[in-house]
Structures are given as C-alpha cells and as structure tokens.
C-alpha cells in the first residue's frame, strides 16, 4: 500500500499518475495519501488534499478524517479545529479519533486534557482501547505523574484490556522521570 511506505511524495506521484492515466481516484486512493501525510505530520498537504477530494466530489470517510487528524497531531497543528470540522461535516468521531485527540494532548504534556477527551469519549459510549489508555498514560509519564500513570494501568486492567509492553513501558517511563520505582513494583 502507498501509505505503508511513509513516503508522501511517492504517494502523491502515484496519485498523479492515476490522474494522468485518466483514472478517477476514489476515497481509498486519497485516504492512502492522507495516511502518508499523517505519518509525516504534514497537515498542510493533508488539508490541501482533503480540499482536492471535496472538489473532485469524493466524500471523505472516517478513515480519511482520522488520517487528516493524525497529520495535525503529529505535525503540531490545531487538532481540535480539525476534529470540529470533521463533526461539522456530520462525521461522527470514533475510538481512533478520540485516541488521536488524547495522544495530541499527551504529546504536549497535558494529561489532564487527555483525560477530558477520554471522558468525552466515554460519554458517547465509545469503549477505549489499550492504545487509548496508553496514550493517556504517556501524558502522565511525560510529566512524571507516576501515581496517575499507575491508576491508568489499573483502569486498563479493570477494563479487561491487555497490559502490553507499551503500557508497562509508559509506567516505567513515569517511574524513571519521578525516580519512584516503588510504584512500578506495586502496580
């Protein structure tokens, strides 16, 4: 797939080659390129491509929107504005959308905002995934809030989600930042 190459320029060239061959790109083709931009954090190009989709009367689906949102999260764009635009188009955010917003705030060392997005997600009766909880945990790890990170790990367990190596690494990172290894031993 185009998006797995992480080479947005190659993806863009392949999309252009389709057009040059008189083929009409569909939502899957555009989304593959959006995903490549997302992985690179190129929210400017991703936004341009979304507009191109609209001009071509190709309706973005939830995967397209989540790829665009990912580009804002990784590229320091205004992810909240992106999500709001998505909702204005009547596209309902899903677990991936909310996890991206949680990741956005955790990357900025704002675990409290990440927790608010988790609450909002749950208020819509969406079940957080292990990736969602790990994104919250990452925010606490960045700020050295080891007790809060341990609580997230416990909530994962209570939700019957697997405590994988990524989750444990998040807790260990928080313990290292706070020099509180006792918490890791009790978790």
């Amino acid at each position: 797939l185009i998006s797995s190459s992480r080479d947005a320029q190659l993806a863009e060239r392949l999309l252009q080659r389709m057009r040059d061959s008189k083929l009409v790109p569909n939502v899957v083709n555009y989304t593959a390129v959006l995903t490549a931009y997302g992985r690179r954090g190129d929210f400017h190009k991703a936004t341009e491509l979304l507009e191109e989709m609209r001009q071509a009367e190709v309706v973005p689906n939830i995967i397209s929107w989540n790829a665009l949102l990912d580009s804002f999260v990784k590229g320091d764009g205004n992810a909240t504005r992106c999500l709001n635009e998505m909702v204005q188009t009547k596209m309902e955010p899903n677990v991936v959308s909310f996890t991206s917003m949680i990741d956005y705030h955790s990357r900025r060392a704002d675990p409290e905002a990440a927790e608010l997005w988790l609450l909002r997600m749950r208020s819509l009766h969406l079940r957080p995934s292990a990736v969602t909880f790990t994104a919250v945990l990452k925010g606490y790890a960045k700020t050295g809030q080891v007790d809060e990170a341990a609580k997230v790990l416990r909530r994962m367990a209570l939700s019957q989600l697997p405590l994988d190596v990524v989750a444990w690494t998040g807790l260990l990172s928080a313990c290292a930042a706070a020099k509180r290894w006792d918490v890791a031993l009790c978790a």
Side-chain angles (χ1 to χ4, degrees):
L1 280 173
I2 295 170
S3 61
S4 66
S5 73
R6 294 186 184 225
D7 185 347
Q9 291 175 336
L10 174 62
E12 194 174 67
R13 284 198 313 252
L14 291 171
L15 190 64
Q16 186 57 48
R17 185 181 262 175
M18 283 183 71
R19 290 187 206 103
D20 293 345
S21 299
K22 306 297 185 225
L23 298 171
V24 180
N26 63 23
V27 68
V28 174
N29 307 131
Y30 279 111
T31 300
V33 180
L34 280 171
T35 301
Y37 288 140
R39 289 182 175 159
R40 195 168 94 177
D42 193 341
F43 61 90
H44 295 295
K45 285 281 206 178
T47 303
E48 289 173 12
L49 188 63
L50 186 79
E51 186 55 37
E52 181 182 316
M53 286 176 74
R54 291 174 172 163
Q55 294 296 320
E57 297 182 6
V58 176
V59 179
N61 61 22
I62 189 64
I63 300 167
S64 311
W65 278 104
N66 284 336
L68 178 68
L69 186 57
D70 192 43
S71 72
F72 277 82
V73 169
K74 291 180 179 158
D76 282 339
N78 188 337
T80 305
R81 190 191 72 183
C82 179
L83 185 75
N84 288 337
E85 183 180 344
M86 177 177 132
V87 170
Q88 287 173 0
T89 68
K90 307 294 186 229
M91 185 64 61
E92 290 294 321
N94 63 11
V95 172
V96 174
S97 312
F98 280 98
T99 300
S100 290
M101 292 305 299
I102 290 165
D103 186 45
Y104 175 75
H105 290 288
S106 288
R107 286 172 179 259
R108 284 149 187 79
D110 189 357
E112 291 79 13
E115 288 278 10
L116 289 174
W117 281 99
L118 180 61
L119 285 173
R120 185 173 175 194
M121 177 182 177
R122 286 187 154 170
S123 75
L124 296 173
H125 306 289
L126 293 172
R127 186 173 187 260
S129 68
V131 175
T132 307
F133 279 111
T134 302
V136 174
L137 202 152
K138 182 171 55 174
Y140 288 119
K142 275 192 157 217
T143 58
Q145 295 181 58
V146 69
D147 293 320
E148 294 302 318
K151 287 178 188 175
V152 172
L153 204 67
R154 284 188 213 102
R155 287 188 306 190
M156 280 181 75
L158 289 173
S159 297
Q160 299 180 335
L161 292 168
L163 302 179
D164 62 7
V165 69
V166 178
W168 281 105
T169 301
L171 179 61
L172 291 174
S173 296
C175 291
K179 294 183 175 59
R180 297 258 328 272
W181 297 106
D182 59 306
V183 175
L185 296 172
C186 296

